[in-house]
Amino acid sequence: MAIQQQLIQWAGAVTLVAAASSSATAWAEDAHSYARLDDVSTPHLELNLTVDFAEQQLEGTATYDLLRRSDATAIHLDTRDLTIQKTEIWQDGAWQETPFALGEPHQTLGQELTVTIGEDADKLRIHYETAPTASGLQWLTPAQTAGKEHPFMFSQSQPIHARSWIPIQDTPALRLTYNAQVYTPAGLLAVMSADNSLSDDRDGNYSFTMPQPIPPYLIAIAVGDLEIKSISDNVAVFAESYIIDDAAWEWADTPAMITATEKMYGPYRWDRYDLLVLPPSFPFGGMENPRLSFITPTVVSGDRSLINLIAHELAHSWSGNLVTNASWRDLWLNEGFTSYVENRIMEALFGERRAQMELALGYQDLLADMERLPAADTVLNIDLGTRHPDDVFSNVPYVKGQLFLVYLEHKFGRDVFDAFLRQYFADFAFQSISTAQFKHYLAKNLLAKHPNVVSMDKVNEWIHEPGLPADAPKPESDAFAQVERQMQRWLKGGQLQTAEWTTHEWLHFINNLPLDISSTNMKRLDNDYHLTASSNAEIAHAWLKLAITKKYEPARDRLRNYLLNIGRNKLVSPLYRELAKTPENLKWAREVYEQAKSGYHPLTQTVNEALLYPEH
Ligand code: BES
Ligand code: ZN
């Protein structure tokens, strides 16, 4: 097992990727995968899949190139709820059937698939089909879509759900290229995290190529009645027709965001950058699938006030997709860096005032999470054990990670820190790295070059200790200070001057209303500013959460409607969590949930069932 380096050939250039002891240890450390990359890895995948809406399943083959690193004669892959029909190896110029075994199902990890590969086969083919309950797919009936005529299907592979629709070495320490052949009913369009075509052909037979090596969690697919609208030469929106014009208008700044990020952190290395609008049941705000970010329709607010989410998913094209966390313990390397870059993009395009408001809102969310979470889960390099990463999702990797980088920026100065980041993205491009590797790189390329600015002890405190260091930045916003002054006057009966307020000021206002606010004041606010009726999903969320706490009954119908129509977990689960606090509300919440459930994504179901039925 002495392979020191792996050659990755990409776009004519040959990159040397250190696969020596450092990555080998990173591999061994992924507790969320059965893969053993130091025996054999799978640098290329060919998918051949039929999308069967009637059975709600994918059926076909996954064919891998094998890269051997030891004399092991078996390969170990991850699966979850897959039916494996047959496994074959390419040997002596032909496909030959080979034995496989599925391990006992594990609650978090799924099932280990072990396949005999002999001594010199260099390809493996797996024939399989998915279950209708696949944790990484959502199948929507025509009735559950906006257009009502065609079904919709999409994947969400991050963090460990790729294994529920592809038998795969499902660790972000692996990087692989892929090609795919996808068959759908005619009239529907399939898109993937690959080279989507802008053609209006809908013949049900689609080919894809992803030539850059990506981690498995970035393999993505969606199929639906999609239209395409270009924003620029290299940016287009894919969406159902009801929202395509609105989305293209909402996200018109995307090309400028790309230019601004390239200027700060180096070239965009993925060719096109398209945006796909998912149904409202999409469990996240956005997902950075390469070349095609998946986006919730709940950020199409009509005023471009929530486009930091686009900045965020775009930023992942550097932090996350180019330089990738090697395990889910290192998620902060993806999300903390991305939140930092996101805020820098927002500042570059819209100025400091807006960026500062967004940073301050994030900081407040972080403080709220830190109060709720056990101390051990407020550590950046979190100890997950074999807990499911979805169960530990919080603002910690995002905002604490971001604050760490803001701290470094303040200490070293923006010019020095930007140059460091730019070089970091170049040096680790198309590689997966661990927290330990990052620390090593930081010590060498920033701390040592500017001695006595930040100590390694301080870095370790940020990365390995719970909570926030005493000298952590405490983001504040002048705009919010003004909102607070107005709030004090308003609570005494004065009028609010809200003409200039953006979504951000409203969110700050609602989130910071005193918990003993009177029901008269709740009514006054709602009558004057129609918060129950707000069509901005974030404002409505903040208001409905307060309405639950304050037992403000006029919002009840809107709350039911909201929970029935939106499945983005960040918007839904704080509401269920709040409802679960009193027996009457819990009873009501369970009724609404049972009605909403069939429209929710598997992830939204799992997370909220844990809140509503904790005894199960
Ligand atoms: N990659 C994440 C979503 C994710 C993280 C899925 C971890 C599964 C495991 C995505 O980029 C994200 O962070 N989305 C946020 C955006 C927000 C912070 C602007 C979301 O969905 O709310
Ligand atoms: Zn993210």
Short mmCIF file of all heavy atoms in Angstrom, two decimals, residues 156-161 217 282-288 296 306 308-310 312-313 316 328 331 334-335 338-339 342 389-390 393 395 398 538 568 570 603, ligand 1:
data_model
loop_
_atom_site.label_atom_id
_atom_site.label_comp_id
_atom_site.label_asym_id
_atom_site.label_seq_id
_atom_site.Cartn_x
_atom_site.Cartn_y
_atom_site.Cartn_z
N GLN A 156 -31.48 14.61 -3.30
CA GLN A 156 -30.71 15.43 -2.36
C GLN A 156 -29.71 14.48 -1.72
O GLN A 156 -30.04 13.77 -0.78
CB GLN A 156 -31.63 16.09 -1.32
CG GLN A 156 -30.91 16.74 -0.13
CD GLN A 156 -29.90 17.80 -0.55
OE1 GLN A 156 -30.14 18.60 -1.45
NE2 GLN A 156 -28.72 17.81 0.08
N SER A 157 -28.49 14.47 -2.24
CA SER A 157 -27.53 13.44 -1.83
C SER A 157 -26.75 13.82 -0.57
O SER A 157 -26.36 12.95 0.21
CB SER A 157 -26.54 13.17 -2.96
OG SER A 157 -27.20 12.69 -4.11
N GLN A 158 -26.49 15.12 -0.39
CA GLN A 158 -25.72 15.51 0.79
C GLN A 158 -26.57 15.33 2.04
O GLN A 158 -27.76 15.67 2.02
CB GLN A 158 -25.31 16.99 0.71
CG GLN A 158 -24.21 17.34 1.71
CD GLN A 158 -23.88 18.83 1.76
OE1 GLN A 158 -24.59 19.66 1.23
NE2 GLN A 158 -22.78 19.17 2.41
N PRO A 159 -26.04 14.81 3.14
CA PRO A 159 -24.66 14.36 3.27
C PRO A 159 -24.44 12.89 2.85
O PRO A 159 -23.51 12.61 2.12
CB PRO A 159 -24.40 14.52 4.77
CG PRO A 159 -25.77 14.35 5.41
CD PRO A 159 -26.77 14.88 4.41
N ILE A 160 -25.33 11.96 3.29
CA ILE A 160 -25.05 10.54 3.02
C ILE A 160 -26.26 9.83 2.41
O ILE A 160 -26.60 8.71 2.79
CB ILE A 160 -24.58 9.80 4.31
CG1 ILE A 160 -25.55 10.00 5.48
CG2 ILE A 160 -23.19 10.26 4.71
CD1 ILE A 160 -25.21 9.11 6.70
N HIS A 161 -26.88 10.53 1.44
CA HIS A 161 -28.06 9.93 0.79
C HIS A 161 -27.80 9.50 -0.65
O HIS A 161 -28.68 8.90 -1.26
CB HIS A 161 -29.24 10.89 0.83
CG HIS A 161 -29.63 11.26 2.24
ND1 HIS A 161 -30.23 10.37 3.10
CD2 HIS A 161 -29.47 12.41 2.94
CE1 HIS A 161 -30.43 10.96 4.28
NE2 HIS A 161 -29.98 12.20 4.20
N TYR A 217 -21.50 13.19 -2.87
CA TYR A 217 -22.69 13.92 -2.42
C TYR A 217 -23.10 15.02 -3.39
O TYR A 217 -24.15 15.63 -3.22
CB TYR A 217 -22.49 14.48 -1.00
CG TYR A 217 -21.59 15.70 -0.90
CD1 TYR A 217 -22.09 16.98 -1.10
CD2 TYR A 217 -20.22 15.56 -0.62
CE1 TYR A 217 -21.27 18.11 -1.01
CE2 TYR A 217 -19.40 16.66 -0.54
CZ TYR A 217 -19.93 17.94 -0.73
OH TYR A 217 -19.11 19.03 -0.66
N PHE A 282 -38.82 21.02 -1.45
CA PHE A 282 -37.35 20.86 -1.38
C PHE A 282 -36.91 21.14 0.05
O PHE A 282 -37.25 22.19 0.60
CB PHE A 282 -36.68 21.81 -2.38
CG PHE A 282 -35.19 21.63 -2.45
CD1 PHE A 282 -34.63 20.40 -2.76
CD2 PHE A 282 -34.34 22.70 -2.20
CE1 PHE A 282 -33.25 20.23 -2.82
CE2 PHE A 282 -32.95 22.54 -2.25
CZ PHE A 282 -32.42 21.30 -2.56
N PRO A 283 -36.19 20.20 0.68
CA PRO A 283 -35.96 20.33 2.13
C PRO A 283 -34.95 21.41 2.54
O PRO A 283 -34.88 21.75 3.71
CB PRO A 283 -35.47 18.94 2.54
CG PRO A 283 -34.87 18.36 1.29
CD PRO A 283 -35.68 18.92 0.16
N PHE A 284 -34.17 21.90 1.57
CA PHE A 284 -33.19 22.94 1.90
C PHE A 284 -33.52 24.24 1.18
O PHE A 284 -34.38 24.28 0.30
CB PHE A 284 -31.78 22.48 1.53
CG PHE A 284 -31.27 21.41 2.44
CD1 PHE A 284 -31.37 20.07 2.08
CD2 PHE A 284 -30.73 21.72 3.67
CE1 PHE A 284 -30.93 19.07 2.95
CE2 PHE A 284 -30.29 20.74 4.54
CZ PHE A 284 -30.39 19.40 4.18
N GLY A 285 -32.81 25.29 1.59
CA GLY A 285 -32.91 26.55 0.86
C GLY A 285 -32.25 26.38 -0.50
O GLY A 285 -32.82 26.73 -1.55
N GLY A 286 -31.07 25.83 -0.47
CA GLY A 286 -30.35 25.59 -1.71
C GLY A 286 -29.37 24.46 -1.55
O GLY A 286 -29.02 24.09 -0.42
N MET A 287 -28.97 23.89 -2.67
CA MET A 287 -27.96 22.82 -2.66
C MET A 287 -27.03 23.06 -3.84
O MET A 287 -27.48 23.19 -4.98
CB MET A 287 -28.65 21.45 -2.75
CG MET A 287 -27.68 20.29 -2.81
SD MET A 287 -26.66 20.15 -1.30
CE MET A 287 -25.11 19.56 -2.00
N GLU A 288 -25.74 23.08 -3.53
CA GLU A 288 -24.72 23.53 -4.48
C GLU A 288 -24.33 22.49 -5.52
O GLU A 288 -23.15 22.36 -5.83
CB GLU A 288 -23.49 23.97 -3.68
CG GLU A 288 -22.75 22.84 -2.91
CD GLU A 288 -23.27 22.59 -1.50
OE1 GLU A 288 -24.44 22.91 -1.23
OE2 GLU A 288 -22.50 22.07 -0.67
N THR A 296 -34.79 26.44 -3.51
CA THR A 296 -36.19 26.45 -3.07
C THR A 296 -36.93 27.63 -3.71
O THR A 296 -36.38 28.72 -3.83
CB THR A 296 -36.28 26.61 -1.53
OG1 THR A 296 -37.65 26.80 -1.16
CG2 THR A 296 -35.52 27.82 -1.04
N LEU A 306 -33.74 37.95 -0.82
CA LEU A 306 -33.20 36.72 -0.24
C LEU A 306 -32.12 36.09 -1.13
O LEU A 306 -31.84 34.90 -1.03
CB LEU A 306 -34.36 35.72 0.01
CG LEU A 306 -35.49 36.26 0.92
CD1 LEU A 306 -36.63 35.24 1.02
CD2 LEU A 306 -34.96 36.58 2.32
N ASN A 308 -29.02 36.32 -1.05
CA ASN A 308 -27.79 35.84 -0.43
C ASN A 308 -27.73 34.32 -0.55
O ASN A 308 -26.65 33.73 -0.54
CB ASN A 308 -27.72 36.27 1.04
CG ASN A 308 -28.78 35.59 1.89
OD1 ASN A 308 -29.98 35.79 1.66
ND2 ASN A 308 -28.35 34.78 2.84
N LEU A 309 -28.89 33.68 -0.68
CA LEU A 309 -28.89 32.23 -0.86
C LEU A 309 -28.22 31.84 -2.18
O LEU A 309 -27.51 30.84 -2.26
CB LEU A 309 -30.31 31.68 -0.79
CG LEU A 309 -30.34 30.15 -0.83
CD1 LEU A 309 -30.99 29.58 0.40
CD2 LEU A 309 -31.02 29.65 -2.07
N ILE A 310 -28.43 32.65 -3.21
CA ILE A 310 -27.75 32.37 -4.49
C ILE A 310 -26.25 32.62 -4.32
O ILE A 310 -25.43 31.81 -4.78
CB ILE A 310 -28.32 33.25 -5.63
CG1 ILE A 310 -29.85 33.08 -5.73
CG2 ILE A 310 -27.64 32.93 -6.96
CD1 ILE A 310 -30.32 31.70 -6.07
N HIS A 312 -24.63 32.23 -1.69
CA HIS A 312 -24.15 31.10 -0.89
C HIS A 312 -23.88 29.87 -1.78
O HIS A 312 -22.78 29.30 -1.76
CB HIS A 312 -25.16 30.76 0.21
CG HIS A 312 -24.74 29.63 1.09
ND1 HIS A 312 -24.12 29.82 2.30
CD2 HIS A 312 -24.84 28.29 0.92
CE1 HIS A 312 -23.86 28.64 2.84
NE2 HIS A 312 -24.28 27.69 2.01
N GLU A 313 -24.87 29.48 -2.55
CA GLU A 313 -24.70 28.27 -3.37
C GLU A 313 -23.60 28.48 -4.42
O GLU A 313 -22.81 27.58 -4.70
CB GLU A 313 -26.01 27.84 -4.02
CG GLU A 313 -27.17 27.59 -3.04
CD GLU A 313 -26.81 26.77 -1.81
OE1 GLU A 313 -25.87 25.96 -1.87
OE2 GLU A 313 -27.47 26.97 -0.76
N HIS A 316 -20.12 28.04 -2.99
CA HIS A 316 -19.69 26.65 -2.87
C HIS A 316 -18.89 26.18 -4.09
O HIS A 316 -18.19 25.17 -4.01
CB HIS A 316 -20.90 25.72 -2.70
CG HIS A 316 -21.36 25.55 -1.28
ND1 HIS A 316 -20.53 25.11 -0.27
CD2 HIS A 316 -22.57 25.74 -0.69
CE1 HIS A 316 -21.22 25.03 0.87
NE2 HIS A 316 -22.46 25.41 0.63
N TRP A 328 -17.77 14.32 7.29
CA TRP A 328 -18.82 15.23 7.79
C TRP A 328 -18.45 15.89 9.09
O TRP A 328 -19.11 16.85 9.50
CB TRP A 328 -20.18 14.51 7.82
CG TRP A 328 -20.48 14.05 6.43
CD1 TRP A 328 -20.54 12.77 5.98
CD2 TRP A 328 -20.62 14.89 5.27
NE1 TRP A 328 -20.73 12.75 4.61
CE2 TRP A 328 -20.78 14.05 4.16
CE3 TRP A 328 -20.62 16.28 5.07
CZ2 TRP A 328 -20.95 14.54 2.86
CZ3 TRP A 328 -20.79 16.77 3.78
CH2 TRP A 328 -20.94 15.90 2.70
N LEU A 331 -17.44 19.47 8.08
CA LEU A 331 -18.45 20.24 7.32
C LEU A 331 -18.20 21.75 7.40
O LEU A 331 -18.50 22.48 6.46
CB LEU A 331 -19.86 19.92 7.84
CG LEU A 331 -21.02 20.67 7.16
CD1 LEU A 331 -21.17 20.24 5.70
CD2 LEU A 331 -22.34 20.45 7.90
N ASN A 334 -16.63 23.37 4.52
CA ASN A 334 -17.54 23.72 3.42
C ASN A 334 -18.40 24.93 3.79
O ASN A 334 -18.43 25.93 3.08
CB ASN A 334 -18.50 22.56 3.13
CG ASN A 334 -17.91 21.49 2.23
OD1 ASN A 334 -16.69 21.43 2.05
ND2 ASN A 334 -18.76 20.66 1.67
N GLU A 335 -19.14 24.80 4.89
CA GLU A 335 -20.21 25.78 5.16
C GLU A 335 -19.69 27.08 5.79
O GLU A 335 -20.23 28.15 5.51
CB GLU A 335 -21.30 25.14 6.01
CG GLU A 335 -22.01 23.95 5.34
CD GLU A 335 -22.65 24.27 3.99
OE1 GLU A 335 -22.87 25.45 3.70
OE2 GLU A 335 -22.91 23.31 3.23
N THR A 338 -18.00 28.95 3.02
CA THR A 338 -19.01 29.40 2.07
C THR A 338 -19.82 30.57 2.62
O THR A 338 -20.13 31.53 1.90
CB THR A 338 -19.93 28.23 1.68
OG1 THR A 338 -19.14 27.28 0.98
CG2 THR A 338 -21.08 28.68 0.80
N SER A 339 -20.16 30.52 3.92
CA SER A 339 -20.90 31.63 4.51
C SER A 339 -20.05 32.90 4.48
O SER A 339 -20.56 34.01 4.25
CB SER A 339 -21.30 31.30 5.95
OG SER A 339 -22.12 30.15 5.95
N GLU A 342 -19.97 33.99 0.79
CA GLU A 342 -21.32 34.50 0.51
C GLU A 342 -21.44 35.96 0.95
O GLU A 342 -21.87 36.84 0.19
CB GLU A 342 -22.36 33.66 1.28
CG GLU A 342 -23.76 34.27 1.38
CD GLU A 342 -24.59 33.71 2.54
OE1 GLU A 342 -24.37 32.53 2.93
OE2 GLU A 342 -25.44 34.44 3.07
N PRO A 389 -25.43 12.91 10.31
CA PRO A 389 -25.14 14.35 10.20
C PRO A 389 -26.42 15.19 10.10
O PRO A 389 -26.45 16.32 10.59
CB PRO A 389 -24.32 14.46 8.92
CG PRO A 389 -23.76 13.10 8.67
CD PRO A 389 -24.71 12.11 9.29
N ASP A 390 -27.48 14.64 9.50
CA ASP A 390 -28.75 15.38 9.40
C ASP A 390 -29.34 15.71 10.78
O ASP A 390 -30.06 16.69 10.94
CB ASP A 390 -29.81 14.58 8.62
CG ASP A 390 -29.57 14.62 7.11
OD1 ASP A 390 -28.80 15.49 6.65
OD2 ASP A 390 -30.16 13.78 6.41
N PHE A 393 -27.58 18.94 12.33
CA PHE A 393 -27.53 20.15 11.49
C PHE A 393 -27.82 21.39 12.33
O PHE A 393 -28.79 21.44 13.08
CB PHE A 393 -28.58 20.01 10.39
CG PHE A 393 -28.47 21.05 9.32
CD1 PHE A 393 -27.58 20.88 8.27
CD2 PHE A 393 -29.22 22.21 9.38
CE1 PHE A 393 -27.46 21.84 7.27
CE2 PHE A 393 -29.11 23.18 8.40
CZ PHE A 393 -28.22 22.99 7.34
N ASN A 395 -26.50 25.97 12.95
CA ASN A 395 -25.76 27.13 12.44
C ASN A 395 -24.28 27.10 12.82
O ASN A 395 -23.53 27.96 12.37
CB ASN A 395 -26.38 28.42 12.98
CG ASN A 395 -27.65 28.77 12.24
OD1 ASN A 395 -27.63 29.09 11.06
ND2 ASN A 395 -28.78 28.68 12.92
N TYR A 398 -21.79 26.80 9.99
CA TYR A 398 -22.00 27.96 9.12
C TYR A 398 -21.45 29.23 9.76
O TYR A 398 -20.52 29.85 9.25
CB TYR A 398 -23.50 28.17 8.86
CG TYR A 398 -24.12 27.13 7.96
CD1 TYR A 398 -24.46 25.87 8.43
CD2 TYR A 398 -24.35 27.42 6.62
CE1 TYR A 398 -25.03 24.93 7.59
CE2 TYR A 398 -24.93 26.48 5.78
CZ TYR A 398 -25.26 25.24 6.27
OH TYR A 398 -25.82 24.30 5.43
N GLU A 538 -39.68 34.13 4.61
CA GLU A 538 -38.86 34.30 5.82
C GLU A 538 -39.57 35.19 6.84
O GLU A 538 -39.55 34.92 8.04
CB GLU A 538 -37.50 34.94 5.47
CG GLU A 538 -36.62 34.07 4.57
CD GLU A 538 -35.68 33.15 5.35
OE1 GLU A 538 -35.78 33.09 6.60
OE2 GLU A 538 -34.86 32.48 4.70
N ARG A 568 -39.51 23.23 3.18
CA ARG A 568 -38.12 23.59 3.47
C ARG A 568 -37.92 23.50 4.98
O ARG A 568 -38.53 24.23 5.75
CB ARG A 568 -37.85 25.01 2.97
CG ARG A 568 -36.46 25.51 3.27
CD ARG A 568 -36.29 26.91 2.73
NE ARG A 568 -35.03 27.47 3.17
CZ ARG A 568 -34.73 28.77 3.05
NH1 ARG A 568 -35.59 29.60 2.49
NH2 ARG A 568 -33.56 29.22 3.47
N LYS A 570 -35.81 24.24 7.28
CA LYS A 570 -35.42 25.36 8.13
C LYS A 570 -36.63 26.27 8.43
O LYS A 570 -36.66 26.94 9.47
CB LYS A 570 -34.33 26.16 7.41
CG LYS A 570 -33.70 27.24 8.27
CD LYS A 570 -32.76 28.13 7.45
CE LYS A 570 -33.26 29.56 7.52
NZ LYS A 570 -32.43 30.49 6.73
N LEU A 603 -36.50 13.72 4.41
CA LEU A 603 -35.73 14.38 5.46
C LEU A 603 -36.61 15.22 6.37
O LEU A 603 -36.50 15.18 7.60
CB LEU A 603 -34.64 15.27 4.85
CG LEU A 603 -33.82 16.07 5.86
CD1 LEU A 603 -32.34 15.87 5.62
CD2 LEU A 603 -34.15 17.54 5.85
N1 BES B 1 -24.91 22.36 1.28
C1 BES B 1 -25.89 23.04 2.03
C2 BES B 1 -27.07 22.18 2.38
C3 BES B 1 -26.70 20.96 3.19
C4 BES B 1 -25.73 21.01 4.18
C5 BES B 1 -27.37 19.79 2.97
C6 BES B 1 -25.41 19.87 4.90
C7 BES B 1 -27.07 18.65 3.69
C8 BES B 1 -26.08 18.68 4.66
C9 BES B 1 -26.38 24.30 1.30
O1 BES B 1 -25.35 24.97 0.65
C10 BES B 1 -26.86 25.26 2.34
O2 BES B 1 -26.09 25.57 3.20
N2 BES B 1 -28.07 25.73 2.24
C11 BES B 1 -28.59 26.72 3.16
C12 BES B 1 -28.36 28.09 2.56
C13 BES B 1 -28.29 29.23 3.51
C14 BES B 1 -27.27 29.06 4.58
C15 BES B 1 -28.04 30.52 2.75
C16 BES B 1 -30.06 26.41 3.34
O3 BES B 1 -30.53 25.45 2.72
O4 BES B 1 -30.73 27.05 4.11
#
